[in-house]
Amino acid sequence: MYKLFLKRFLDFTLSLIGLIVLSPIFIIITILLFFSNNGKPFFFQKRPGLHEKIFSIIKFKTMNDKKDAQGNLLSDKERLTKVGSFVRKTSLDEIPQLINVLKGDMSLIGPRPLLPEYLPLYNETQKQRHNVRPGITGWAQVNGRNAISWQQKFKYDVYYVENYTFLLDMKIVFLTIKKVFVSEGISQKGQATMEPFKGNLKK
């Protein structure tokens, strides 16, 4: 019952309530990032969702578009704005994804949606992360987020796909709240987020 109906019902209901309750914060952050990012408060990017179907994820834009002398974007760490750093540290950059949840692109809880170019790099086990809707938070996020390796992250994702229940989702919700308050695992050392996934090392 939970997997077939209740999870999606809760996703829609809770994301709608969340958008209404958080609307004042949503508006304030939008205004701050509008001025911080030259009129671009939102970040849109293609991501693979359920069964690898591509959708556009919506997030608050925490990095500017500054480039070097050759016209290449500077590193994530160099482009992260002061406002963006606060928004990311408090996980407020995830709020617009509630719109993705309403649309059915995402779930509140599930494996984080990654980049389309990673799809050919997954092994058969890692591909299972796309057997459920991607989430705003997930089992990997409460077990290290960006501070763990890609391989460990995918192990957590596949574990969730194979074992998710209402009780596990509630556990992830409470652990997510804890992580937000202590700001753990936001980035890898020397990175604003995490190094790109380059595939599985072959022996």
Side-chain angles (χ1 to χ4, degrees):
M1 177 65 75
Y2 181 67
K3 293 183 178 181
L4 295 176
F5 171 74
L6 187 57
K7 183 175 174 68
R8 176 59 191 151
F9 174 77
L10 289 175
D11 279 340
F12 184 88
T13 303
L14 295 177
S15 58
L16 180 60
I17 294 173
L19 280 171
I20 295 172
V21 172
L22 296 172
S23 58
I25 297 175
F26 189 101
I27 293 171
I28 292 172
I29 295 176
T30 299
I31 294 173
L32 290 175
L33 290 176
F34 179 88
F35 290 106
S36 178
N37 294 327
N38 298 317
K40 299 177 181 179
F42 298 107
F43 171 78
F44 300 90
Q45 191 175 54
K46 297 295 182 183
R47 300 286 176 93
L50 179 63
H51 304 315
E52 301 183 4
K53 181 180 178 181
I54 304 299
F55 70 97
S56 292
I57 195 171
I58 311 169
K59 298 182 71 173
F60 279 126
K61 187 176 175 67
T62 57
M63 294 183 287
N64 58 40
D65 297 317
K66 290 184 178 179
K67 301 179 180 179
D68 59 23
Q70 287 71 44
N72 301 310
L73 285 173
L74 297 176
S75 68
D76 289 356
K77 188 175 181 180
E78 293 174 293
R79 294 187 294 118
L80 186 64
T81 63
K82 291 182 178 180
V83 176
S85 178
F86 171 78
V87 171
R88 178 170 291 182
K89 185 177 181 180
T90 54
S91 296
L92 293 173
D93 58 320
E94 312 288 358
I95 292 178
Q97 289 171 65
L98 291 173
I99 298 172
N100 288 121
V101 177
L102 277 178
K103 293 171 59 182
D105 298 326
M106 296 177 63
S107 173
L108 292 173
I109 301 169
R112 285 294 297 159
L114 301 175
L115 299 173
E117 50 262 42
Y118 292 172
L119 290 175
L121 304 179
Y122 299 141
N123 60 36
E124 290 304 312
T125 299
Q126 293 165 349
K127 287 181 180 179
Q128 294 180 42
R129 68 192 310 280
H130 292 289
N131 290 343
V132 297
R133 285 186 177 87
I136 294 178
T137 186
W139 191 231
Q141 279 58 54
V142 299
N143 282 285
R145 196 174 175 180
N146 291 326
I148 59 177
S149 69
W150 280 109
Q151 285 69 30
Q152 188 61 58
K153 185 190 292 282
F154 293 143
K155 287 182 180 179
Y156 284 129
D157 287 343
V158 173
Y159 174 86
Y160 177 81
V161 172
E162 295 177 341
N163 297 279
Y164 77 93
T165 61
F166 176 76
L167 290 178
L168 180 57
D169 278 0
M170 290 303 98
K171 181 177 181 178
I172 292 172
V173 169
F174 288 116
L175 289 174
T176 297
I177 294 172
K178 176 186 175 183
K179 291 289 182 180
V180 169
F181 279 106
V182 298
S183 300
E184 291 180 343
I186 295 173
S187 61
Q188 288 184 332
K189 187 176 181 180
Q191 301 288 323
T193 52
M194 189 172 184
E195 291 185 358
F197 178 54
K198 298 178 182 178
N200 298 282
L201 294 176
K202 297 181 179 180
K203 296 182 180 179

